[in-house]
Amino acid sequence: MTVTRQDFEDAIAAYWGAKELQREQSTIKAAVGAGTAGSVRGGKHFDAIAVLLSKFFLDAGYPPESIRVTKSQGLELPGYYRPQKQWDLVVVHENVLVAAFELKALGGPSYGNNYNNRVEEALGSAVDLRRAALAELYPKEKPWLGYFFIMQDGAGSRRPVKTAKGALPSDGIWHNTSYQDRFGIFCERLMGEQLYDAVCYVTSSVENPKPIELVESLDWRHFSAAINARLTYLKDLGIPR
């Protein structure tokens, strides 16, 4: 049973509360211990996304206890600039960090209030863990990091935003861009710098939950292919046994 495009669209719809999880997704949720609504690290809205991503690993033969989606299971991973950081979905098997995911969103109407916070969170999480890996805090296989981001689609996120007149000029790529454009550029640069191994960036809304994928390299097709590539790589190494 592979994860399908419809599973992805259903999970985005469930994020907005637009529809109930399918029976299969509910079974997976129980299998990995997501339990009641709100138990997943990202809050009840992200339960559906965590379930969706968990399915990749369950289908690949990882035992449910290797897939951590709740605080009680332990979502903390070692950092370098701080002792630990709590991720949103963690898959650890036989002391190998199979994958760690950040699940984040940005909503309106005041997109600017939290835009910089989301950028700094994503950067800080990745840089901290990558540096910890260099310090051999992840001594086996190289950690694999995924970033899943939903921006609320609305007039405020589509409208071009002015850049402030600062002490020095900003990169011209940001001029006359909306928050939707800016987050696409940001996510492409996260990938370009290899801070994350895969990024899925979509816009959506409660009125129209069907996901819009603005950047082809950041779409669901590329994201799911990257997860499957990680699973194939580890399978060739005998993980899981």
Side-chain angles (χ1 to χ4, degrees), residues 37-241:
S39 63
V40 173
R41 167 72 173 91
K44 64 181 181 180
H45 293 298
F46 271 114
D47 277 6
I49 308 301
V51 166
L52 174 73
L53 298 178
S54 296
K55 188 173 187 294
F56 282 97
F57 302 94
L58 286 172
D59 289 351
Y62 287 88
E65 57 269 22
S66 294
I67 305 166
R68 300 167 181 242
V69 295
T70 66
K71 294 180 182 180
S72 63
Q73 291 172 306
L75 292 165
E76 291 80 10
L77 290 172
Y80 182 78
Y81 300 102
R82 53 189 163 183
Q84 296 173 309
K85 193 272 176 187
Q86 195 174 68
W87 290 70
D88 294 308
L89 170 60
V90 173
V91 183
V92 173
H93 187 72
E94 296 181 351
N95 293 322
V96 172
L97 177 56
V98 176
F101 293 89
E102 286 275 80
L103 313 177
K104 301 299 178 189
L106 180 63
S110 254
Y111 294 91
N113 286 349
N114 287 314
Y115 169 77
N116 283 334
N117 289 339
R118 295 293 176 269
V119 170
E120 290 163 7
E121 288 166 359
L123 285 171
S125 297
V127 169
D128 194 23
L129 193 146
R130 294 297 188 200
R131 185 62 184 84
L134 289 175
E136 299 184 351
L137 293 174
Y138 298 88
K140 293 191 175 181
E141 297 303 317
K142 179 183 176 183
W144 189 98
L145 305 180
Y147 187 65
F148 193 103
F149 192 86
I150 302 173
M151 180 174 289
Q152 184 177 351
D153 184 38
S157 64
R158 295 189 221 110
R159 187 183 305 119
V161 182
K162 291 182 179 179
T163 52
K165 185 177 180 180
L168 292 169
S170 60
D171 186 342
I173 197 172
W174 304 109
H175 295 176
N176 297 314
T177 53
S178 65
Y179 283 116
Q180 290 190 13
D181 297 329
R182 291 181 178 188
F183 224 87
I185 295 167
F186 169 62
C187 288
E188 285 184 299
R189 290 185 169 185
L190 287 178
M191 290 285 291
E193 294 293 322
Q194 299 182 346
L195 290 172
Y196 288 87
D197 297 283
V199 175
C200 186
Y201 166 51
V202 304
T203 66
S204 179
S205 66
V206 66
E207 298 82 10
N208 183 15
K210 187 169 184 177
I212 301 167
E213 297 152 295
L214 300 175
V215 184
E216 183 179 1
S217 63
L218 306 173
D219 66 9
W220 173 250
R221 187 169 60 98
H222 283 80
F223 190 70
S224 58
I227 297 172
N228 284 322
R230 173 64 168 179
L231 292 170
T232 298
Y233 169 79
L234 291 177
K235 182 180 179 181
D236 289 347
L237 296 176
I239 303 171
R241 297 178 184 177

